[in-house]
Amino acid sequence: MSVVTVQLGQCGNQIGFEVFDALYSDSHCPQGLCSKRENEAYQASSKERFFSEEENGVPIARAVLVDMEPKVINQTLSKAAQSGQWKYAQHSCFCQKEGSGNNWAYGYSVHGPRHEESIMNLIQKEVEKCDSLSGFFIIMSMAGGTGSGLGAFVTQNLQDQYSNSLKMNQIIWPYGTGEVIVQNYNSVLTLSHLYRSSDALLVHENDAVHKICAKLMNIKQISFSDINQVLAHQLGSVFQPTYSVEGSCHYRRNPLGINWQIRPPLPGLPTLGKVSLNRELHFNTSIANLVILRGKDVHSADLGGFKDPALYTSWLEPIDAFNVWKTQRAFSKYEKSAALVSNSQFLLKPLDTIVGKAWNMFASKAYIHQYTKFGIEEEDFLDSFTLLEQIFHLKQLFKKRSQGSLGGAAVWRLPLAQGAILETQD
């Protein structure tokens, strides 16, 4: 089954390139630490997911590139072509000469309706190249104008036209000290709209990835290219093929094959009443955890700690909340690697911070006129604030004793019943 990637704005297109480059490099790595037959099956599965039939021997990314300015798209196309390993399709891009000025309303209310037909036609053509469509992977920022505003508009259209296909949005959480004065407005509007139309939001925090570059990789002068490569590495370690079942050597066809629609019990139903010896450790409460193991000794790894009831909300048994995916095929030349994907409370503090900053600006009417002149009224802001406050309080209900994070783990984050807010890290 195939995934169509939609790269939106400067951020989405730059990260998208690094993701495809990482996927191609990994799948063609000669040191897979597995049999030739298994490696060939891995390569075939990866290619089916992310690349279409080769043109003159060069795989073509299953992607649509969208931006309201041509510079970044031209650079992205050029870098892919110059690699000589893979490329984007010749007519898979849409760009204009007028940006969105970091204004969510302009991207959503102006660029979206104006270019809806052209963008959706490009996506449809890419879908028609797939023998079997698994879903869409939409890469975007949430602090600017094109990626966030137009990205929310495109996701909404994908939900309308492809309601049975999974829509996963990978969004970049802005730096806490970002340079865009209205980034908190843009973020609130993005999150609230995607919650209604997306199945899963995969969140990466710029501040967290920056720390990885500085402390774990010891990079002195950190560039956006460094950050994007870390993001691409993390995404690749999650989305590359894994075995379909324990002990099998067959790769699962659906790369997004997790049940994202985890719903709490009806009000009044009793909880499971679980007791754990580790309850006093103040773990970050999760609704679900997925561990992905690759490389040497994957079948002997001790994962008992992830089955502790203290990690999960009281209405889910660990057997229902924990999954593990494995493959003996190593990822990106590493002898062994692991990634944790967790639907947890870890996003509560960043969400509270960004909503609080946006509300303080809204209360003083700061910059509101920049949005109302493009059709986003004060009532739209209030609706967005209300929805995010509801998400915040719902997640607090799953708190056991504290909001501490699971040490060293990377997290995927989902707002409960509908869209998912996620983050991943090796």
Side-chain angles (χ1 to χ4, degrees):
M1 300 181 75
S2 303
V3 177
V4 172
T5 299
V6 183
Q7 304 175 185
L8 288 142
Q10 176 178 340
C11 175
N13 280 290
Q14 290 176 337
I15 293 175
F17 166 79
E18 297 293 351
V19 169
F20 279 108
D21 206 50
L23 292 170
Y24 179 90
S25 297
D26 169 63
S27 64
H28 287 77
C29 177
Q31 302 297 324
L33 302 180
C34 61
S35 68
K36 180 180 179 181
R37 180 180 177 182
E38 186 173 351
N39 196 48
E40 289 175 348
Y42 181 92
Q43 290 176 343
S45 180
S46 176
K47 178 183 175 182
E48 179 191 15
R49 291 179 181 188
F50 302 109
F51 296 92
S52 61
E53 62 184 65
E54 299 181 355
E55 181 180 284
N56 299 325
V58 180
I60 302 173
R62 297 187 187 275
V64 173
L65 292 70
V66 180
D67 200 359
M68 292 300 105
E69 296 176 297
K71 181 179 178 181
V72 172
I73 283 186
N74 290 338
Q75 292 174 343
T76 302
L77 294 174
S78 178
K79 287 175 67 176
Q82 289 175 5
S83 73
Q85 298 177 321
W86 62 276
K87 62 189 293 186
Y88 290 102
Q90 185 176 359
H91 302 294
S92 64
C93 309
F94 180 86
C95 62
Q96 297 290 292
K97 296 183 178 180
E98 178 187 16
S100 301
N102 292 320
N103 189 323
W104 189 94
Y106 199 80
Y108 183 86
S109 300
V110 178
H111 285 316
R114 181 181 295 170
H115 306 301
E116 173 184 357
E117 183 177 358
S118 297
I119 295 172
M120 296 309 295
N121 283 342
L122 284 177
I123 294 174
Q124 181 181 343
K125 290 178 181 178
E126 199 60 45
V127 169
E128 290 171 352
K129 298 177 185 177
C130 303
D131 292 333
S132 179
L133 177 67
S134 172
F136 298 92
F137 187 45
I138 304 117
I139 308 177
M140 53 190 278
S141 72
M142 69 178 197
T146 298
S148 62
L150 183 58
F153 183 90
V154 169
T155 304
Q156 184 175 310
N157 274 266
L158 289 173
Q159 174 59 27
D160 293 339
Q161 297 186 28
Y162 301 94
S163 58
N164 293 327
S165 298
L166 189 138
K167 276 73 61 181
M168 176 179 287
N169 294 69
Q170 195 263 345
I171 57 178
I172 304 301
W173 201 275
Y175 282 106
T177 56
E179 297 179 357
V180 180
I181 192 66
V182 292
Q183 69 177 31
N184 298 307
Y185 279 165
N186 294 339
S187 298
V188 164
L189 291 165
T190 300
L191 288 172
S192 63
H193 280 72
L194 291 182
Y195 183 81
R196 298 182 179 99
S197 57
S198 179
D199 297 301
L201 310 185
L202 177 54
V203 176
H204 280 94
E205 296 176 72
N206 268 335
D207 288 308
V209 181
H210 195 98
K211 288 181 181 178
I212 292 174
C213 293
K215 295 183 178 181
L216 298 183
M217 302 176 68
N218 199 31
I219 301 175
K220 302 302 181 183
Q221 300 293 328
I222 300 172
S223 65
F224 279 113
S225 178
D226 296 321
I227 291 175
N228 293 342
Q229 287 175 17
V230 170
L231 297 178
H233 184 102
Q234 294 180 357
L235 293 170
S237 68
V238 171
F239 290 123
Q240 283 288 54
T242 54
Y243 296 144
S244 56
V245 294
E246 181 72 26
S248 169
C249 289
H250 300 285
Y251 287 102
R252 66 181 73 244
R253 297 199 65 211
N254 188 354
L256 309 178
I258 305 175
N259 178 17
W260 302 108
Q261 302 296 323
I262 301 173
R263 298 181 183 276
L266 295 174
L269 291 181
T271 61
L272 298 174
K274 297 175 293 192
V275 177
S276 170
L277 297 176
N278 291 330
R279 183 75 53 104
E280 67 275 9
L281 295 181
H282 301 176
F283 282 130
N284 177 38
T285 306
S286 299
I287 296 176
N289 285 322
L290 165 67
V291 171
I292 302 167
L293 302 176
R294 301 177 183 276
K296 186 178 179 181
D297 301 329
V298 293
H299 296 298
S300 60
D302 182 7
L303 299 172
F306 289 100
K307 300 175 183 178
D308 188 337
L311 292 175
Y312 305 101
T313 184
S314 60
W315 46 267
L316 273 177
E317 291 281 7
I319 192 173
D320 299 316
F322 175 64
N323 285 280
V324 57
W325 291 354
K326 300 177 181 179
T327 174
Q328 291 180 319
R329 207 281 189 180
F331 176 75
S332 191
K333 300 181 181 180
Y334 290 97
E335 184 179 74
K336 58 180 72 175
S337 63
L340 169 64
V341 179
S342 176
N343 168 10
S344 75
Q345 294 178 313
F346 193 73
L347 196 64
L348 281 174
K349 184 176 180 180
L351 179 61
D352 188 44
T353 298
I354 214 164
V355 170
K357 289 180 178 179
W359 177 258
N360 289 338
M361 291 178 61
F362 181 78
S364 62
K365 308 292 185 183
Y367 303 102
I368 292 295
H369 66 283
Q370 294 187 9
Y371 293 78
T372 56
K373 68 181 180 181
F374 296 119
I376 301 300
E377 304 297 337
E378 292 187 19
E379 289 77 9
D380 297 312
F381 277 96
L382 291 173
D383 288 343
S384 295
F385 283 123
T386 300
L387 178 58
L388 295 185
E389 285 292 336
Q390 290 173 349
I391 295 171
F392 181 85
H393 290 300
L394 277 171
K395 276 191 167 283
Q396 280 190 317
L397 293 177
F398 303 118
K399 180 189 284 186
K400 285 194 167 75
R401 290 201 174 194
S402 78
Q403 296 178 12
S405 64
L406 182 60
V411 260
W412 277 28
R413 305 151 183 168
L414 296 93
L416 306 175
Q418 297 176 346
I421 301 184
L422 328 167
E423 181 185 57
T424 179
Q425 185 174 320
D426 294 329

